[in-house]
Each structure stands twice: as C-alpha cells, then as structure tokens.
Amino acid sequence: MTDSELIVDLRGRLIETLNDFWDAVSEPCALPEWFGRNLDAWSDTIETRGISEVIDSHDVLVVHVDQQGLFDGHRQEAKVLASIFDGEQNRLVVHELG
C-alpha cells in the first residue's frame, strides 16, 4: 500500500521570508484564516495535525522549494523551518537551481 502524499510544489516561486512561505503554503495546504503564521503553528499543523483538513487527509506532506531566497542555505529561520519537517511524514525538498 502506498501512502497518500500531499505534494506542494513551490519551485519557481521566490520565497524571501517566512511570510512568503506562509503565503505560498496557505492555499494548497488549506490553512485556516486563524493559522498563526509562525514556526510553532506550523509544527502543530504538520506534526500534531488537527489544523488543516487537507494535510490531515494525507499520510505524507512533501513541500518542494528552490534553493534561493529563504532557502539559499544561509538563513537561520529556514534551518529552523526545515528542522520541523521530520523527513518521513513531512518532507522539505530543496532543489538546486540550474
């Protein structure tokens, strides 16, 4: 049996800040308007579940981003965000450009 995956492909979209990331994932992940737009809220959303019906209806969440802007490898907030993804049930895939 294959786990159902929610794939959120943000490649091609420049994400410079965490607010840009929240904007980018809000619609495909069906985050409610009251979503906290912070790392603790994201952790609760993908680890504990119970916040987004769309995320909750899938076994695995995979978010694809380009290695630029927030994810260029030098930003502490991106490292903290990436650490929230457990690599199994929730994966952040950073793609090199070019």
Side-chain angles (χ1 to χ4, degrees):
M1 182 176 139
T2 304
D3 290 337
S4 69
E5 291 187 350
L6 172 60
I7 298 173
V8 179
D9 193 343
L10 305 177
R11 289 176 288 183
R13 181 171 180 158
L14 182 58
I15 299 171
E16 291 284 351
T17 66
L18 282 174
N19 277 333
D20 292 341
F21 180 78
W22 307 136
D23 290 344
V25 297
S26 288
E27 185 178 329
C29 292
L31 298 178
E33 291 204 16
W34 50 265
F35 173 74
R37 295 177 66 93
N38 62 61
L39 296 169
D40 289 334
W42 183 247
S43 176
D44 290 344
T45 301
I46 67 172
E47 290 179 12
T48 308
R49 307 280 174 128
I51 294 172
S52 163
E53 290 182 15
V54 171
I55 291 175
D56 295 353
S57 69
H58 293 82
D59 298 313
V60 177
L61 168 66
V62 182
V63 178
H64 294 271
V65 296
D66 289 325
Q67 187 177 6
Q68 65 178 350
L70 180 62
F71 300 102
D72 69 2
H74 300 33
R75 307 270 298 276
Q76 183 60 31
E77 60 267 21
K79 292 175 184 174
V80 174
L81 174 62
S83 73
I84 294 170
F85 289 83
D86 65 12
E88 293 178 21
Q89 183 181 18
N90 308 296
R91 295 192 302 266
L92 177 67
V93 182
V94 180
H95 297 269
E96 289 185 24
L97 293 175

